[in-house]
């Protein structure tokens, strides 16, 4: 709850209600943002100065790695801390088409989701990975801004980690958790290698399954290659929560083992996530990460805005005529695009 | 081999050599395109009028569905037709990070690839899914143009089907084959549903595995929902090659079962791919598909070109200053982007 004088600065009732903790108002606001309405756009600008406090945690991994269960368990953990600490408010944005939060559910997951849904300190929002007005990453970024501004202290962004747009989404987070599982097949090694570059924490979920040693070995080897030169360490920590001291200079991604559906390893994983947050708040790391994050977000916004403006500047049927010229091989696609773009004059606003 | 007078119209030796069948020249040309060099760009414009003859076949599916084996077997089949027909020249562009063609290999697949590599009528090109100069879909589209122009009659584009950029790549094809396998887990149903929209042919590979009936049932149900209204058919054909007659009005995606590593079902799948090609050449379907394909390709080119030009128009440090203003919450990302774009003046070329 914000102090009254602060709340009064917000002119839009819907935004004011969302800030006061009205969940229906918040849901409506997020829908406006998803639909790209002018009201949504105005709300974003009103809310943005209040954002910047939340810890944004991306959770990404292949379908079948069990990341949705992991998210459920993490949220449950943070909401019922064994220390008796006051639980932080948590939001989940699920942009994974396979997530039970976004609708691709199996029964067991739906049940777990229901557990969380009764908790007023937890807000869950799912997004279709196709068809959102302004593109997946843009809409996610804006939803996260709103959730941050209305007071969620931790925002988990769940994405399936096997495509460019999903990697874009992962770049919007402060802390990126990459989830793997044993026995997913050798042929996803390359995907993993791509995801490793963005991982702050690595998780082997379903660690009670055969093949866990092999999976651990493979991930360690890949980490070794990536960090050897920089860190000069021989062994990567497994199931060890990093300890941040005043001496800490670099973050070495820890490798954590979990069995999410049994709640095993969740406490340590949560501690590792908190340790990364602590690391970021250490010696200017936060600002660097925040700027990298915002750069990624703004590049996406620029790309989409340029495209929208260009489309608006086209004469009726101009694009269709060009497509026909290309189809009949009069112009190459490159030549047609050069022409379409050189005709395009940006009206300065 | 092109007639001499035709070949002489091509001024660039590398391009001329690639057209004459010089595989090294072709590989060099593709590298220039991947690197976005001016030579590559010029070559594209020289070659484009020669393109438009190839049948572009996209093969997409989740990691682990065995689509790489399927591609190998299809290529082998088309190169050794039981009818004794002259085999067509085939190129494979593998943009799947999990493909043995692009490097994410298991030993068995490498062996199969080696079988194909000895065949002068087969050209295989792999692409890293990250880091190509002009974006994945753009580069793939341009490579396909070149392979088409130098005389490959069929070009297979292999992608992993779980991300926006991969779906973009699939849209570049005339015929899109979506590959599934039994027992991939319930949680990828949603991905499948997304891919179904772009499928012309559905394959259940690894059909000797348990769960094949369940997978078949699930895919049929999804097809039913999608096509019911339009086609009014009750049963989707399984393992039946569509027969194209003068009465054929719509294409109903057939569901084919294969066991790629044993070569089972490959002949029928190849026949279904050919049937779709026949359907496209029927009553203007080809032109519609070609225009849809080129529209997708040109939209990608426009997006990337707008971004590149905008970037070139920025003053030194302008973007950095904006990022800092956003990080300190003086401006929202949306406001910053509006400002960055309204300052941007396109110089007409």
């Amino acid at each position: 709850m914000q102090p009254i004088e602060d709340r009064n600065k917000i002119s839009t009732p819907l935004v004011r209600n969302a800030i006061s903790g009205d969940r229906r108002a918040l849901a409506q606001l997020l829908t406006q943002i998803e639909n790209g309405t002018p009201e949504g756009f105005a709300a974003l600008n009103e809310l943005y100065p209040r954002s910047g406090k939340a810890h944004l945690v991306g959770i990404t991994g292949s379908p079948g790695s069990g990341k949705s269960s992991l998210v459920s368990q993490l949220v449950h953990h943070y909401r019922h801390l064994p220390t008796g600490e006051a639980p932080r408010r948590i939001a989940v944005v699920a942009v994974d088409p396979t997530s039970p939060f976004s609708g691709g559910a199996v029964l067991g997951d739906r049940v777990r989701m229901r557990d969380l849904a009764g908790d007023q300190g937890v807000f869950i929002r799912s997004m279709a990975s196709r068809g959102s007005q302004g593109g997946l990453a843009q809409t996610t970024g804006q939803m996260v801004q709103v959730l941050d501004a209305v007071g969620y202290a931790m925002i988990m962004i769940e994405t399936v980690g096997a495509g460019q747009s999903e990697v874009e989404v992962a770049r919007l987070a402060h802390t990126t958790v990459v989830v793997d599982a044993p026995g997913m097949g050798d042929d996803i090694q390359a995907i993993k290698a791509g995801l490793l570059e963005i991982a702050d924490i690595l998780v082997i979920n379903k660690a009670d399954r055969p093949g866990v040693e092999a999976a651990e070995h493979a991930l360690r080897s890949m980490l070794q290659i990536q960090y050897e030169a920089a860190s000069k360490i021989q062994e990567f920590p497994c199931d060890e929560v990093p300890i941040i001291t005043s001496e800490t200079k670099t973050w070495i991604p820890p490798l954590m083992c979990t069995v999410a559906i049994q709640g095993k390893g969740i406490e340590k994983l949560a501690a590792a996530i908190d340790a990364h947050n602590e690391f970021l708040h250490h010696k200017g790391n936060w600002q660097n990460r925040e700027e990298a994050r915002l750069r990624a977000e703004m590049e996406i916004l620029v790309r989409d805005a340029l495209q929208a403006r260009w489309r608006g500047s086209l004469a009726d049927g101009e694009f269709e005529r060009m497509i026909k010229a290309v189809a009949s091989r009069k112009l190459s696609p490159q030549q047609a695009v050069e022409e379409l773009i050189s005709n395009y004059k940006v009206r300065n606003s």
Side-chain angles (χ1 to χ4, degrees), chain A:
Chain A
M1 188 83 90
Q2 305 287 325
I4 299 283
E5 59 277 18
D6 204 1
R7 259 199 289 153
N8 286 345
K9 282 189 204 153
I10 301 283
S11 58
T12 323
L14 191 64
V15 177
R16 214 158 46 220
N17 293 342
I19 293 172
S20 322
D22 179 342
R23 296 165 69 92
R24 257 192 86 215
L26 177 56
Q28 279 174 31
L29 200 53
L30 295 176
T31 301
Q32 289 192 343
I33 281 155
E34 204 165 11
N35 294 338
T37 65
E39 291 80 8
F41 191 79
L44 278 173
N45 295 341
E46 267 193 314
L47 283 167
Y48 189 71
R50 293 170 180 261
S51 71
K53 292 172 219 97
H55 182 206
L56 312 183
V57 180
I59 316 261
T60 188
S62 316
S65 60
K67 59 195 168 313
S68 301
S69 310
L70 208 64
V71 169
S72 307
Q73 292 282 344
L74 277 171
V75 174
H76 190 268
H77 170 83
Y78 282 121
R79 296 293 300 163
H80 302 87
L81 290 177
T83 55
E85 238 174 283
R88 57 197 105 172
R89 288 170 71 197
I90 303 185
V92 176
V93 180
V95 285
D96 176 355
T98 74
S99 165
F101 301 123
S102 65
V106 288
L107 188 62
D109 282 320
R110 279 208 201 276
V111 173
R112 277 195 296 282
M113 179 175 73
R114 218 185 294 140
D115 282 352
L116 295 177
D119 181 346
Q120 290 294 310
V122 177
F123 189 89
I124 293 166
R125 179 75 181 199
S126 65
M127 277 183 59
S129 70
R130 270 171 255 276
S132 80
Q133 194 68 27
L136 179 62
Q138 175 178 334
T139 310
T140 310
Q142 296 177 337
M143 286 196 170
V144 167
Q145 280 169 33
V146 171
L147 291 163
D148 181 349
V150 304
Y152 288 92
M154 181 182 258
I155 300 166
M156 295 196 189
I157 310 164
E158 182 192 330
T159 69
V160 69
Q164 194 174 296
S165 57
E166 285 73 14
V167 171
E168 275 181 357
V169 170
R171 292 229 165 87
L172 302 178
H174 295 118
T175 301
T176 302
V177 179
V178 172
V179 186
D180 190 22
M184 298 283 290
D186 278 344
D187 51 4
I188 59 164
Q189 296 297 340
I191 288 183
K192 282 186 231 161
L195 284 175
L196 277 193
E197 291 165 28
I198 58 164
D200 298 305
I201 296 168
L202 273 154
V203 175
I204 302 179
N205 191 28
K206 304 186 178 180
D208 54 343
R209 287 209 183 164
V212 62
E213 294 82 6
E216 200 187 307
H217 181 78
L219 287 175
R220 268 173 193 271
S221 313
M222 286 191 269
L223 278 172
Q224 209 86 32
I225 293 163
Q226 203 174 331
Y227 283 91
E228 207 165 37
S231 64
K232 294 187 176 62
I233 62 165
Q234 291 304 312
E235 273 293 308
F236 276 87
C238 195
D239 275 334
E240 268 175 41
V241 178
I243 295 162
I244 310 300
T245 69
S246 57
E247 310 297 305
T248 308
K249 285 196 177 62
T250 51
W251 174 264
I252 305 294
L255 183 56
M256 317 299 288
C257 287
T258 57
V259 186
I261 55 160
Q262 297 170 20
K264 278 190 192 157
I266 298 298
E267 201 174 327
K268 276 193 171 178
L269 173 57
I273 292 171
D274 289 343
H276 189 252
N277 191 27
E278 204 188 324
F279 171 76
L280 289 179
H281 279 96
H282 195 69
K283 296 176 189 162
N285 290 324
W286 180 267
Q287 204 191 331
N288 291 342
R289 185 68 172 235
E290 187 70 1
E291 286 181 14
R293 217 178 64 65
L294 291 169
R295 173 193 308 277
E297 180 162 0
M298 285 166 64
E299 280 178 347
I300 293 162
L301 286 171
V302 165
R303 183 190 67 197
D304 294 350
L306 286 171
Q307 225 176 335
R309 289 178 73 156
W310 168 78
R311 206 174 287 276
S313 80
L314 284 176
D316 264 356
E318 191 180 353
F319 196 32
E320 301 310 310
R321 276 194 302 278
M322 281 298 185
I323 290 170
K324 291 206 186 289
V326 172
S328 61
R329 262 69 193 171
K330 286 193 198 96
L331 284 175
S332 80
Q334 293 74 31
Q335 289 165 328
V337 165
E338 281 218 329
E339 197 157 319
L340 279 167
I341 287 186
S342 69
N343 286 341
Y344 158 58
K345 290 181 188 65
V346 174
R347 292 168 300 271
N348 285 344
S349 48

